[in-house]
Amino acid sequence: MTTQSLPARTSTPARNPEDKPAGRRGRRLLRQRAGRQHHAGPLSYVLLGLMAVLSIFPLYWTMVAASTDNTRVSQTPPPFLPGPNLFSNLARAWDEAAMGKAMINSLIVAGVIALSTVMFATLAGFAFAKLRFKGRNVLLMLVIGTMMVPPQLGVVPLFMMMAELGWSQQLPAVIFPTLVSAVGVFFMRQYLSEALPDELVEAGRVDGAHSLRIFWSIVLPVARPAMAVLFMITFVHAWNDFFWPFVVLDMTNPTVPVALTQLSAGYVRDQSLIMAGALLGTLPLLAMFIVFGRQIVSGIMAGAVKG
């Protein structure tokens, strides 16, 4: 008597309820989930509104103080509504502080420093992140180590160097010592280490491209979001820098922060006039952020997705 062997019954694994549904219905559910928007609760809106008010209040108070007179600003409680003297105080601050020349000088200084920092920091960041050469780690540690040295320690020898070069009281004395920063090099190195795949660099090598060609055709498109962020940060920092321009420049060729010191001269300081000058110095930065803010934010988000 022969027994027929029955085929072994294959046990089907139990479906996990958390697994993604398959088929046409599953794809439709996935599309619905992907297009679903997450709405914040009332507490989130309250916190966001509070943070927005706290962020805007210093600028609003500057405008209020610039639109009143010195007596009204010194009263207790201070005014919280704009006054009628805004444009007259802005005109006085513009004339007494020579803000026209100061803004041109600040635009030249901040623009050159920001562009050079972005270019040199991207080159150095690419070298430290993707190129292999002797002493790379030692050089990187030296660059990072310069961030720990207070800049005030080098003021005297740097001033003597600028005087020997004949650049005292001239804009090159402000520009050349800050053509590149260690913070920018470290920032671009960290970004390119994550955002730039090694396979792209190797593919460029296989195609016969040299390092500068790889930098121009491969690295720059990948690093564009980080370059935009670094440009914005460096430009704002160079525009607001006061200590070194105050040391090496004078009132005949000032930047905006140096020119604002002219408004505080005298025994009795006109606070409304000082606030008017500060408002004039802030308006170009606000205009630049309004014009390029969307591109910078979109660049940050694009870099986050690529990384």
Side-chain angles (χ1 to χ4, degrees):
M1 181 177 181
T2 60
T3 59
Q4 295 181 355
S5 59
L6 297 177
R9 180 179 299 177
T10 59
S11 60
T12 58
R15 182 185 295 268
N16 190 351
E18 295 181 356
D19 292 343
K20 295 181 180 179
R24 184 179 302 174
R25 180 173 175 272
R27 289 193 295 270
R28 184 171 64 252
L29 291 176
L30 289 176
R31 286 194 296 267
Q32 292 176 358
R33 293 176 184 177
R36 186 182 303 168
Q37 295 182 356
H38 299 279
H39 298 281
L43 181 60
S44 300
Y45 287 106
V46 172
L47 292 177
L48 289 175
L50 181 61
M51 294 302 298
V53 170
L54 292 177
S55 301
I56 297 174
F57 181 76
L59 181 62
Y60 174 76
W61 166 248
T62 303
M63 185 187 66
V64 171
S67 62
T68 58
D69 52 16
N70 196 31
T71 304
R72 184 71 181 92
V73 173
S74 304
Q75 290 179 355
T76 303
F80 288 98
L81 295 177
N85 302 328
L86 178 60
F87 294 103
S88 60
N89 288 338
L90 291 177
R92 286 178 55 203
W94 183 275
D95 295 334
E96 294 186 16
M99 291 296 292
K101 185 175 183 179
M103 283 192 177
I104 294 176
N105 289 342
S106 290
L107 183 62
I108 294 173
V109 169
V112 173
I113 291 176
L115 288 175
S116 64
T117 298
V118 168
M119 185 56 62
F120 290 142
T122 307
L123 278 168
F126 166 61
F128 284 127
K130 297 301 177 181
L131 299 184
R132 302 292 182 265
F133 54 92
K134 292 183 179 180
R136 183 185 65 167
N137 295 329
V138 176
L139 290 176
L140 180 61
M141 293 303 297
L142 289 176
V143 171
I144 298 176
T146 59
M147 299 167 56
M148 306 176 186
V149 180
Q152 291 80 5
L153 296 180
V155 169
V156 174
L158 188 59
F159 182 82
M160 296 174 61
M161 185 185 300
M162 295 299 107
E164 290 292 332
L165 293 174
W167 288 348
S168 180
Q169 301 178 2
Q170 297 181 15
L171 296 184
V174 182
I175 295 174
F176 277 87
T178 53
L179 284 177
V180 67
S181 64
V183 177
V185 173
F186 182 72
F187 173 75
M188 293 305 302
R189 186 261 178 190
Q190 294 299 108
Y191 179 85
L192 291 175
S193 296
E194 299 295 334
L196 180 62
D198 295 334
E199 290 77 8
L200 288 180
V201 180
E202 295 300 329
R205 296 292 187 191
V206 172
D207 291 340
H210 50 80
S211 297
L212 290 180
R213 179 65 178 177
I214 293 174
F215 175 79
W216 182 262
S217 301
I218 299 176
V219 178
L220 285 183
V222 174
R224 190 175 297 129
M227 293 171 66
V229 176
L230 182 60
F231 179 88
M232 184 70 178
I233 295 174
T234 307
F235 187 92
V236 173
H237 181 268
W239 183 278
N240 295 327
D241 189 19
F242 171 75
F243 180 71
W244 176 242
F246 182 75
V247 171
V248 77
L249 299 178
D250 58 6
M251 291 302 171
T252 61
N253 196 29
T255 56
V256 170
V258 177
L260 292 179
T261 60
Q262 186 70 19
L263 300 177
S264 59
Y267 293 101
V268 180
R269 296 182 178 180
D270 192 343
Q271 298 294 334
S272 61
L273 189 62
I274 295 174
M275 290 298 179
L279 185 61
L280 284 174
T282 307
L283 289 178
L285 297 180
L286 293 177
M288 186 182 68
F289 186 78
I290 291 173
V291 174
F292 300 105
R294 181 174 298 178
Q295 287 79 3
I296 293 174
V297 173
S298 62
I300 295 174
M301 298 305 297
V305 173
K306 290 180 182 180

